[in-house]
Amino acid sequence: MTHPALEMYDYHVWANQTILNRLKELPQDVYNKEIQSVFPTISKAIAHIYLVDACWLDILSGKSMKEAMADSAPLTAGVESKGMEEMEKLYVQISERFKTLLNQQENMEKRIMLDNPYAGQRDTSLSEMVLQVVNHGTYHRGNITAMLRQMGYASVMTEYALFWYS
């Protein structure tokens, strides 16, 4: 039986692809159009989800949070400058790396001492970190939905319950 955190990660991948597919249906300028919102552009929101995913992948791979955050900082400008098609490829690549790493884990409940430079230490499990990745993505896909509505476009449903039927 698949661990629930692995299924949630599959949902995360599906939801990211679903929102990217919706963005491809809209006029090209929507992706980089500047608006007054949580993020200045949808492209920056998409990049942010990716960069945080990359940071958590490094943490799950054994880096400290401080090291993972430092390693992701120089990537920001390059990732934020990518077009939608390039971001889609990056998402495919990172999801493959995530799945390879997660499928190699013998115990998703393995405990790790996470040292967050902003919040302190916390004993957590691999599965909890995966759920953090998923929850973070869900939160910001909601931001993207609000940004689309603000620009006059409908978004697309990315609810977990809809994923069950995909």
Side-chain angles (χ1 to χ4, degrees), residues 88-120:
E88 187 173 25
K89 288 176 188 172
L90 288 176
Y91 270 106
V92 168
Q93 291 168 356
I94 199 168
S95 69
E96 289 171 356
R97 290 175 51 213
F98 250 105
K99 287 180 183 188
T100 297
L101 177 72
L102 295 175
N103 287 326
Q104 293 172 347
Q105 300 304 313
E106 293 179 19
N107 180 9
M108 288 297 295
E109 299 313 314
K110 176 183 169 186
R111 306 302 293 180
I112 292 178
M113 184 57 68
L114 185 65
D115 190 359
N116 184 320
Y118 303 105

PDB file of all heavy atoms in Angstrom, residues 88-120:
ATOM      1  N   GLU A  88       7.541  24.339 -16.712  1.00  0.00           N
ATOM      2  CA  GLU A  88       6.863  23.044 -16.766  1.00  0.00           C
ATOM      3  C   GLU A  88       7.896  21.912 -16.803  1.00  0.00           C
ATOM      4  O   GLU A  88       7.750  20.906 -16.102  1.00  0.00           O
ATOM      5  CB  GLU A  88       5.950  22.991 -17.985  1.00  0.00           C
ATOM      6  CG  GLU A  88       5.085  21.758 -18.053  1.00  0.00           C
ATOM      7  CD  GLU A  88       4.077  21.834 -19.177  1.00  0.00           C
ATOM      8  OE1 GLU A  88       4.307  22.550 -20.179  1.00  0.00           O
ATOM      9  OE2 GLU A  88       3.040  21.164 -19.047  1.00  0.00           O
ATOM     10  N   LYS A  89       8.951  22.080 -17.583  1.00  0.00           N
ATOM     11  CA  LYS A  89      10.013  21.069 -17.650  1.00  0.00           C
ATOM     12  C   LYS A  89      10.728  20.937 -16.310  1.00  0.00           C
ATOM     13  O   LYS A  89      11.046  19.826 -15.873  1.00  0.00           O
ATOM     14  CB  LYS A  89      11.013  21.419 -18.754  1.00  0.00           C
ATOM     15  CG  LYS A  89      10.474  21.222 -20.146  1.00  0.00           C
ATOM     16  CD  LYS A  89      11.463  21.680 -21.200  1.00  0.00           C
ATOM     17  CE  LYS A  89      10.814  21.642 -22.581  1.00  0.00           C
ATOM     18  NZ  LYS A  89      11.667  22.259 -23.600  1.00  0.00           N
ATOM     19  N   LEU A  90      10.989  22.071 -15.650  1.00  0.00           N
ATOM     20  CA  LEU A  90      11.632  22.022 -14.340  1.00  0.00           C
ATOM     21  C   LEU A  90      10.760  21.280 -13.328  1.00  0.00           C
ATOM     22  O   LEU A  90      11.271  20.503 -12.508  1.00  0.00           O
ATOM     23  CB  LEU A  90      11.942  23.432 -13.835  1.00  0.00           C
ATOM     24  CG  LEU A  90      13.082  24.170 -14.525  1.00  0.00           C
ATOM     25  CD1 LEU A  90      13.207  25.588 -13.983  1.00  0.00           C
ATOM     26  CD2 LEU A  90      14.389  23.415 -14.368  1.00  0.00           C
ATOM     27  N   TYR A  91       9.446  21.517 -13.385  1.00  0.00           N
ATOM     28  CA  TYR A  91       8.534  20.817 -12.482  1.00  0.00           C
ATOM     29  C   TYR A  91       8.543  19.310 -12.735  1.00  0.00           C
ATOM     30  O   TYR A  91       8.520  18.522 -11.790  1.00  0.00           O
ATOM     31  CB  TYR A  91       7.102  21.355 -12.617  1.00  0.00           C
ATOM     32  CG  TYR A  91       6.785  22.504 -11.691  1.00  0.00           C
ATOM     33  CD1 TYR A  91       6.693  23.803 -12.168  1.00  0.00           C
ATOM     34  CD2 TYR A  91       6.572  22.296 -10.343  1.00  0.00           C
ATOM     35  CE1 TYR A  91       6.396  24.864 -11.330  1.00  0.00           C
ATOM     36  CE2 TYR A  91       6.274  23.343  -9.488  1.00  0.00           C
ATOM     37  CZ  TYR A  91       6.190  24.630  -9.985  1.00  0.00           C
ATOM     38  OH  TYR A  91       5.904  25.667  -9.142  1.00  0.00           O
ATOM     39  N   VAL A  92       8.582  18.904 -13.979  1.00  0.00           N
ATOM     40  CA  VAL A  92       8.647  17.471 -14.300  1.00  0.00           C
ATOM     41  C   VAL A  92       9.935  16.880 -13.731  1.00  0.00           C
ATOM     42  O   VAL A  92       9.922  15.824 -13.086  1.00  0.00           O
ATOM     43  CB  VAL A  92       8.543  17.234 -15.825  1.00  0.00           C
ATOM     44  CG1 VAL A  92       8.903  15.791 -16.181  1.00  0.00           C
ATOM     45  CG2 VAL A  92       7.141  17.571 -16.322  1.00  0.00           C
ATOM     46  N   GLN A  93      11.037  17.569 -13.937  1.00  0.00           N
ATOM     47  CA  GLN A  93      12.327  17.074 -13.456  1.00  0.00           C
ATOM     48  C   GLN A  93      12.371  16.962 -11.938  1.00  0.00           C
ATOM     49  O   GLN A  93      12.828  15.954 -11.397  1.00  0.00           O
ATOM     50  CB  GLN A  93      13.462  17.981 -13.952  1.00  0.00           C
ATOM     51  CG  GLN A  93      13.690  17.908 -15.437  1.00  0.00           C
ATOM     52  CD  GLN A  93      14.608  19.013 -15.952  1.00  0.00           C
ATOM     53  OE1 GLN A  93      15.027  19.905 -15.212  1.00  0.00           O
ATOM     54  NE2 GLN A  93      14.917  18.956 -17.233  1.00  0.00           N
ATOM     55  N   ILE A  94      11.884  17.986 -11.253  1.00  0.00           N
ATOM     56  CA  ILE A  94      11.956  17.939  -9.794  1.00  0.00           C
ATOM     57  C   ILE A  94      11.001  16.884  -9.232  1.00  0.00           C
ATOM     58  O   ILE A  94      11.311  16.220  -8.242  1.00  0.00           O
ATOM     59  CB  ILE A  94      11.742  19.321  -9.143  1.00  0.00           C
ATOM     60  CG1 ILE A  94      12.296  19.296  -7.707  1.00  0.00           C
ATOM     61  CG2 ILE A  94      10.274  19.739  -9.164  1.00  0.00           C
ATOM     62  CD1 ILE A  94      12.413  20.654  -7.076  1.00  0.00           C
ATOM     63  N   SER A  95       9.856  16.701  -9.878  1.00  0.00           N
ATOM     64  CA  SER A  95       8.927  15.676  -9.380  1.00  0.00           C
ATOM     65  C   SER A  95       9.529  14.284  -9.560  1.00  0.00           C
ATOM     66  O   SER A  95       9.341  13.419  -8.697  1.00  0.00           O
ATOM     67  CB  SER A  95       7.561  15.781 -10.058  1.00  0.00           C
ATOM     68  OG  SER A  95       7.623  15.416 -11.412  1.00  0.00           O
ATOM     69  N   GLU A  96      10.266  14.078 -10.640  1.00  0.00           N
ATOM     70  CA  GLU A  96      10.937  12.783 -10.833  1.00  0.00           C
ATOM     71  C   GLU A  96      12.000  12.564  -9.758  1.00  0.00           C
ATOM     72  O   GLU A  96      12.124  11.470  -9.220  1.00  0.00           O
ATOM     73  CB  GLU A  96      11.550  12.710 -12.231  1.00  0.00           C
ATOM     74  CG  GLU A  96      10.509  12.585 -13.323  1.00  0.00           C
ATOM     75  CD  GLU A  96      11.073  12.739 -14.735  1.00  0.00           C
ATOM     76  OE1 GLU A  96      12.293  13.030 -14.880  1.00  0.00           O
ATOM     77  OE2 GLU A  96      10.287  12.570 -15.683  1.00  0.00           O
ATOM     78  N   ARG A  97      12.734  13.618  -9.433  1.00  0.00           N
ATOM     79  CA  ARG A  97      13.747  13.519  -8.367  1.00  0.00           C
ATOM     80  C   ARG A  97      13.100  13.244  -7.017  1.00  0.00           C
ATOM     81  O   ARG A  97      13.588  12.413  -6.245  1.00  0.00           O
ATOM     82  CB  ARG A  97      14.587  14.797  -8.321  1.00  0.00           C
ATOM     83  CG  ARG A  97      15.506  14.944  -9.524  1.00  0.00           C
ATOM     84  CD  ARG A  97      16.250  16.268  -9.549  1.00  0.00           C
ATOM     85  NE  ARG A  97      16.921  16.564  -8.306  1.00  0.00           N
ATOM     86  CZ  ARG A  97      17.073  17.806  -7.830  1.00  0.00           C
ATOM     87  NH1 ARG A  97      16.611  18.856  -8.484  1.00  0.00           N
ATOM     88  NH2 ARG A  97      17.705  18.004  -6.683  1.00  0.00           N
ATOM     89  N   PHE A  98      11.993  13.933  -6.730  1.00  0.00           N
ATOM     90  CA  PHE A  98      11.256  13.712  -5.489  1.00  0.00           C
ATOM     91  C   PHE A  98      10.780  12.265  -5.403  1.00  0.00           C
ATOM     92  O   PHE A  98      10.981  11.597  -4.389  1.00  0.00           O
ATOM     93  CB  PHE A  98      10.020  14.625  -5.419  1.00  0.00           C
ATOM     94  CG  PHE A  98      10.116  15.726  -4.403  1.00  0.00           C
ATOM     95  CD1 PHE A  98      10.354  17.023  -4.811  1.00  0.00           C
ATOM     96  CD2 PHE A  98       9.935  15.484  -3.061  1.00  0.00           C
ATOM     97  CE1 PHE A  98      10.427  18.057  -3.898  1.00  0.00           C
ATOM     98  CE2 PHE A  98       9.999  16.497  -2.125  1.00  0.00           C
ATOM     99  CZ  PHE A  98      10.252  17.791  -2.548  1.00  0.00           C
ATOM    100  N   LYS A  99      10.148  11.792  -6.466  1.00  0.00           N
ATOM    101  CA  LYS A  99       9.593  10.436  -6.442  1.00  0.00           C
ATOM    102  C   LYS A  99      10.676   9.385  -6.294  1.00  0.00           C
ATOM    103  O   LYS A  99      10.491   8.405  -5.566  1.00  0.00           O
ATOM    104  CB  LYS A  99       8.746  10.198  -7.690  1.00  0.00           C
ATOM    105  CG  LYS A  99       7.429  10.949  -7.644  1.00  0.00           C
ATOM    106  CD  LYS A  99       6.603  10.693  -8.880  1.00  0.00           C
ATOM    107  CE  LYS A  99       5.332  11.517  -8.832  1.00  0.00           C
ATOM    108  NZ  LYS A  99       4.413  11.170  -9.909  1.00  0.00           N
ATOM    109  N   THR A 100      11.810   9.579  -6.954  1.00  0.00           N
ATOM    110  CA  THR A 100      12.922   8.644  -6.809  1.00  0.00           C
ATOM    111  C   THR A 100      13.387   8.598  -5.359  1.00  0.00           C
ATOM    112  O   THR A 100      13.540   7.527  -4.766  1.00  0.00           O
ATOM    113  CB  THR A 100      14.090   9.036  -7.741  1.00  0.00           C
ATOM    114  OG1 THR A 100      13.638   8.950  -9.088  1.00  0.00           O
ATOM    115  CG2 THR A 100      15.296   8.129  -7.533  1.00  0.00           C
ATOM    116  N   LEU A 101      13.589   9.770  -4.774  1.00  0.00           N
ATOM    117  CA  LEU A 101      14.032   9.842  -3.373  1.00  0.00           C
ATOM    118  C   LEU A 101      12.999   9.222  -2.436  1.00  0.00           C
ATOM    119  O   LEU A 101      13.346   8.414  -1.572  1.00  0.00           O
ATOM    120  CB  LEU A 101      14.302  11.296  -2.980  1.00  0.00           C
ATOM    121  CG  LEU A 101      14.698  11.496  -1.514  1.00  0.00           C
ATOM    122  CD1 LEU A 101      16.116  10.985  -1.275  1.00  0.00           C
ATOM    123  CD2 LEU A 101      14.596  12.955  -1.131  1.00  0.00           C
ATOM    124  N   LEU A 102      11.745   9.586  -2.605  1.00  0.00           N
ATOM    125  CA  LEU A 102      10.705   9.098  -1.696  1.00  0.00           C
ATOM    126  C   LEU A 102      10.499   7.595  -1.826  1.00  0.00           C
ATOM    127  O   LEU A 102      10.267   6.911  -0.826  1.00  0.00           O
ATOM    128  CB  LEU A 102       9.396   9.854  -1.933  1.00  0.00           C
ATOM    129  CG  LEU A 102       9.441  11.349  -1.604  1.00  0.00           C
ATOM    130  CD1 LEU A 102       8.137  12.021  -2.001  1.00  0.00           C
ATOM    131  CD2 LEU A 102       9.760  11.586  -0.132  1.00  0.00           C
ATOM    132  N   ASN A 103      10.584   7.080  -3.046  1.00  0.00           N
ATOM    133  CA  ASN A 103      10.396   5.642  -3.242  1.00  0.00           C
ATOM    134  C   ASN A 103      11.555   4.825  -2.685  1.00  0.00           C
ATOM    135  O   ASN A 103      11.413   3.621  -2.479  1.00  0.00           O
ATOM    136  CB  ASN A 103      10.169   5.323  -4.719  1.00  0.00           C
ATOM    137  CG  ASN A 103       8.799   5.751  -5.185  1.00  0.00           C
ATOM    138  OD1 ASN A 103       7.827   5.706  -4.432  1.00  0.00           O
ATOM    139  ND2 ASN A 103       8.693   6.187  -6.425  1.00  0.00           N
ATOM    140  N   GLN A 104      12.691   5.452  -2.425  1.00  0.00           N
ATOM    141  CA  GLN A 104      13.837   4.766  -1.836  1.00  0.00           C
ATOM    142  C   GLN A 104      13.750   4.694  -0.317  1.00  0.00           C
ATOM    143  O   GLN A 104      14.510   3.969   0.315  1.00  0.00           O
ATOM    144  CB  GLN A 104      15.142   5.474  -2.224  1.00  0.00           C
ATOM    145  CG  GLN A 104      15.479   5.379  -3.680  1.00  0.00           C
ATOM    146  CD  GLN A 104      16.671   6.258  -4.061  1.00  0.00           C
ATOM    147  OE1 GLN A 104      17.111   7.113  -3.302  1.00  0.00           O
ATOM    148  NE2 GLN A 104      17.191   6.032  -5.254  1.00  0.00           N
ATOM    149  N   GLN A 105      12.817   5.434   0.256  1.00  0.00           N
ATOM    150  CA  GLN A 105      12.701   5.483   1.711  1.00  0.00           C
ATOM    151  C   GLN A 105      12.029   4.216   2.230  1.00  0.00           C
ATOM    152  O   GLN A 105      10.955   3.846   1.776  1.00  0.00           O
ATOM    153  CB  GLN A 105      11.909   6.716   2.156  1.00  0.00           C
ATOM    154  CG  GLN A 105      12.514   8.027   1.736  1.00  0.00           C
ATOM    155  CD  GLN A 105      13.946   8.198   2.194  1.00  0.00           C
ATOM    156  OE1 GLN A 105      14.275   7.942   3.346  1.00  0.00           O
ATOM    157  NE2 GLN A 105      14.796   8.632   1.283  1.00  0.00           N
ATOM    158  N   GLU A 106      12.663   3.594   3.200  1.00  0.00           N
ATOM    159  CA  GLU A 106      12.085   2.405   3.818  1.00  0.00           C
ATOM    160  C   GLU A 106      11.051   2.770   4.862  1.00  0.00           C
ATOM    161  O   GLU A 106      10.142   1.999   5.137  1.00  0.00           O
ATOM    162  CB  GLU A 106      13.188   1.553   4.449  1.00  0.00           C
ATOM    163  CG  GLU A 106      14.120   0.937   3.423  1.00  0.00           C
ATOM    164  CD  GLU A 106      15.225   0.119   4.063  1.00  0.00           C
ATOM    165  OE1 GLU A 106      15.084  -0.273   5.244  1.00  0.00           O
ATOM    166  OE2 GLU A 106      16.215  -0.121   3.374  1.00  0.00           O
ATOM    167  N   ASN A 107      11.197   3.959   5.442  1.00  0.00           N
ATOM    168  CA  ASN A 107      10.307   4.367   6.526  1.00  0.00           C
ATOM    169  C   ASN A 107       9.985   5.848   6.393  1.00  0.00           C
ATOM    170  O   ASN A 107      10.803   6.695   6.763  1.00  0.00           O
ATOM    171  CB  ASN A 107      10.972   4.073   7.880  1.00  0.00           C
ATOM    172  CG  ASN A 107      10.108   4.468   9.050  1.00  0.00           C
ATOM    173  OD1 ASN A 107       8.935   4.813   8.906  1.00  0.00           O
ATOM    174  ND2 ASN A 107      10.680   4.433  10.237  1.00  0.00           N
ATOM    175  N   MET A 108       8.807   6.149   5.900  1.00  0.00           N
ATOM    176  CA  MET A 108       8.402   7.550   5.739  1.00  0.00           C
ATOM    177  C   MET A 108       8.176   8.235   7.090  1.00  0.00           C
ATOM    178  O   MET A 108       8.064   9.444   7.160  1.00  0.00           O
ATOM    179  CB  MET A 108       7.132   7.651   4.883  1.00  0.00           C
ATOM    180  CG  MET A 108       7.357   7.359   3.418  1.00  0.00           C
ATOM    181  SD  MET A 108       8.484   8.531   2.626  1.00  0.00           S
ATOM    182  CE  MET A 108       7.546  10.047   2.753  1.00  0.00           C
ATOM    183  N   GLU A 109       8.127   7.450   8.165  1.00  0.00           N
ATOM    184  CA  GLU A 109       7.949   8.032   9.494  1.00  0.00           C
ATOM    185  C   GLU A 109       9.281   8.226  10.216  1.00  0.00           C
ATOM    186  O   GLU A 109       9.311   8.567  11.393  1.00  0.00           O
ATOM    187  CB  GLU A 109       7.001   7.165  10.323  1.00  0.00           C
ATOM    188  CG  GLU A 109       5.603   7.050   9.723  1.00  0.00           C
ATOM    189  CD  GLU A 109       5.007   8.383   9.271  1.00  0.00           C
ATOM    190  OE1 GLU A 109       5.090   9.380  10.027  1.00  0.00           O
ATOM    191  OE2 GLU A 109       4.462   8.444   8.151  1.00  0.00           O
ATOM    192  N   LYS A 110      10.374   8.014   9.484  1.00  0.00           N
ATOM    193  CA  LYS A 110      11.709   8.248  10.037  1.00  0.00           C
ATOM    194  C   LYS A 110      11.782   9.670  10.573  1.00  0.00           C
ATOM    195  O   LYS A 110      11.351  10.617   9.918  1.00  0.00           O
ATOM    196  CB  LYS A 110      12.756   8.029   8.944  1.00  0.00           C
ATOM    197  CG  LYS A 110      14.166   8.338   9.373  1.00  0.00           C
ATOM    198  CD  LYS A 110      15.113   8.150   8.190  1.00  0.00           C
ATOM    199  CE  LYS A 110      16.482   8.703   8.524  1.00  0.00           C
ATOM    200  NZ  LYS A 110      17.370   8.663   7.357  1.00  0.00           N
ATOM    201  N   ARG A 111      12.324   9.798  11.780  1.00  0.00           N
ATOM    202  CA  ARG A 111      12.391  11.104  12.445  1.00  0.00           C
ATOM    203  C   ARG A 111      13.699  11.811  12.094  1.00  0.00           C
ATOM    204  O   ARG A 111      14.751  11.186  12.004  1.00  0.00           O
ATOM    205  CB  ARG A 111      12.292  10.949  13.971  1.00  0.00           C
ATOM    206  CG  ARG A 111      11.082  10.162  14.460  1.00  0.00           C
ATOM    207  CD  ARG A 111       9.761  10.717  14.049  1.00  0.00           C
ATOM    208  NE  ARG A 111       9.471  11.999  14.672  1.00  0.00           N
ATOM    209  CZ  ARG A 111       8.359  12.678  14.462  1.00  0.00           C
ATOM    210  NH1 ARG A 111       7.424  12.204  13.651  1.00  0.00           N
ATOM    211  NH2 ARG A 111       8.159  13.825  15.042  1.00  0.00           N
ATOM    212  N   ILE A 112      13.591  13.116  11.914  1.00  0.00           N
ATOM    213  CA  ILE A 112      14.735  13.970  11.595  1.00  0.00           C
ATOM    214  C   ILE A 112      14.615  15.230  12.446  1.00  0.00           C
ATOM    215  O   ILE A 112      13.512  15.773  12.617  1.00  0.00           O
ATOM    216  CB  ILE A 112      14.733  14.343  10.098  1.00  0.00           C
ATOM    217  CG1 ILE A 112      15.006  13.109   9.262  1.00  0.00           C
ATOM    218  CG2 ILE A 112      15.744  15.439   9.806  1.00  0.00           C
ATOM    219  CD1 ILE A 112      14.975  13.347   7.776  1.00  0.00           C
ATOM    220  N   MET A 113      15.742  15.694  12.948  1.00  0.00           N
ATOM    221  CA  MET A 113      15.752  16.957  13.679  1.00  0.00           C
ATOM    222  C   MET A 113      15.908  18.069  12.645  1.00  0.00           C
ATOM    223  O   MET A 113      16.945  18.209  12.002  1.00  0.00           O
ATOM    224  CB  MET A 113      16.890  17.004  14.697  1.00  0.00           C
ATOM    225  CG  MET A 113      16.875  18.270  15.537  1.00  0.00           C
ATOM    226  SD  MET A 113      15.335  18.561  16.455  1.00  0.00           S
ATOM    227  CE  MET A 113      15.394  17.242  17.645  1.00  0.00           C
ATOM    228  N   LEU A 114      14.853  18.815  12.446  1.00  0.00           N
ATOM    229  CA  LEU A 114      14.838  19.917  11.493  1.00  0.00           C
ATOM    230  C   LEU A 114      15.222  21.183  12.247  1.00  0.00           C
ATOM    231  O   LEU A 114      14.614  21.508  13.269  1.00  0.00           O
ATOM    232  CB  LEU A 114      13.431  20.042  10.899  1.00  0.00           C
ATOM    233  CG  LEU A 114      13.221  21.048   9.792  1.00  0.00           C
ATOM    234  CD1 LEU A 114      14.019  20.662   8.560  1.00  0.00           C
ATOM    235  CD2 LEU A 114      11.745  21.119   9.444  1.00  0.00           C
ATOM    236  N   ASP A 115      16.227  21.880  11.763  1.00  0.00           N
ATOM    237  CA  ASP A 115      16.685  23.108  12.409  1.00  0.00           C
ATOM    238  C   ASP A 115      16.351  24.280  11.499  1.00  0.00           C
ATOM    239  O   ASP A 115      17.085  24.608  10.574  1.00  0.00           O
ATOM    240  CB  ASP A 115      18.186  23.045  12.692  1.00  0.00           C
ATOM    241  CG  ASP A 115      18.661  24.192  13.571  1.00  0.00           C
ATOM    242  OD1 ASP A 115      17.832  25.054  13.963  1.00  0.00           O
ATOM    243  OD2 ASP A 115      19.865  24.243  13.868  1.00  0.00           O
ATOM    244  N   ASN A 116      15.205  24.887  11.748  1.00  0.00           N
ATOM    245  CA  ASN A 116      14.731  26.022  10.966  1.00  0.00           C
ATOM    246  C   ASN A 116      15.388  27.288  11.513  1.00  0.00           C
ATOM    247  O   ASN A 116      15.197  27.623  12.679  1.00  0.00           O
ATOM    248  CB  ASN A 116      13.209  26.113  11.076  1.00  0.00           C
ATOM    249  CG  ASN A 116      12.608  27.191  10.226  1.00  0.00           C
ATOM    250  OD1 ASN A 116      13.153  28.282  10.107  1.00  0.00           O
ATOM    251  ND2 ASN A 116      11.468  26.902   9.645  1.00  0.00           N
ATOM    252  N   PRO A 117      16.166  27.999  10.694  1.00  0.00           N
ATOM    253  CA  PRO A 117      16.861  29.187  11.186  1.00  0.00           C
ATOM    254  C   PRO A 117      15.922  30.278  11.711  1.00  0.00           C
ATOM    255  O   PRO A 117      16.349  31.149  12.464  1.00  0.00           O
ATOM    256  CB  PRO A 117      17.639  29.703   9.971  1.00  0.00           C
ATOM    257  CG  PRO A 117      17.505  28.701   8.902  1.00  0.00           C
ATOM    258  CD  PRO A 117      16.446  27.727   9.294  1.00  0.00           C
ATOM    259  N   TYR A 118      14.654  30.225  11.325  1.00  0.00           N
ATOM    260  CA  TYR A 118      13.693  31.250  11.754  1.00  0.00           C
ATOM    261  C   TYR A 118      12.806  30.798  12.906  1.00  0.00           C
ATOM    262  O   TYR A 118      12.269  31.622  13.636  1.00  0.00           O
ATOM    263  CB  TYR A 118      12.799  31.672  10.579  1.00  0.00           C
ATOM    264  CG  TYR A 118      13.593  32.180   9.414  1.00  0.00           C
ATOM    265  CD1 TYR A 118      13.760  31.412   8.277  1.00  0.00           C
ATOM    266  CD2 TYR A 118      14.218  33.421   9.459  1.00  0.00           C
ATOM    267  CE1 TYR A 118      14.515  31.871   7.201  1.00  0.00           C
ATOM    268  CE2 TYR A 118      14.978  33.890   8.397  1.00  0.00           C
ATOM    269  CZ  TYR A 118      15.123  33.098   7.269  1.00  0.00           C
ATOM    270  OH  TYR A 118      15.873  33.556   6.222  1.00  0.00           O
ATOM    271  N   ALA A 119      12.626  29.488  13.059  1.00  0.00           N
ATOM    272  CA  ALA A 119      11.671  29.001  14.046  1.00  0.00           C
ATOM    273  C   ALA A 119      12.276  28.066  15.092  1.00  0.00           C
ATOM    274  O   ALA A 119      11.623  27.748  16.069  1.00  0.00           O
ATOM    275  CB  ALA A 119      10.516  28.289  13.334  1.00  0.00           C
ATOM    276  N   GLY A 120      13.487  27.607  14.874  1.00  0.00           N
ATOM    277  CA  GLY A 120      14.128  26.722  15.833  1.00  0.00           C
ATOM    278  C   GLY A 120      14.075  25.263  15.412  1.00  0.00           C
ATOM    279  O   GLY A 120      13.722  24.933  14.280  1.00  0.00           O
TER     280      GLY A 120
END
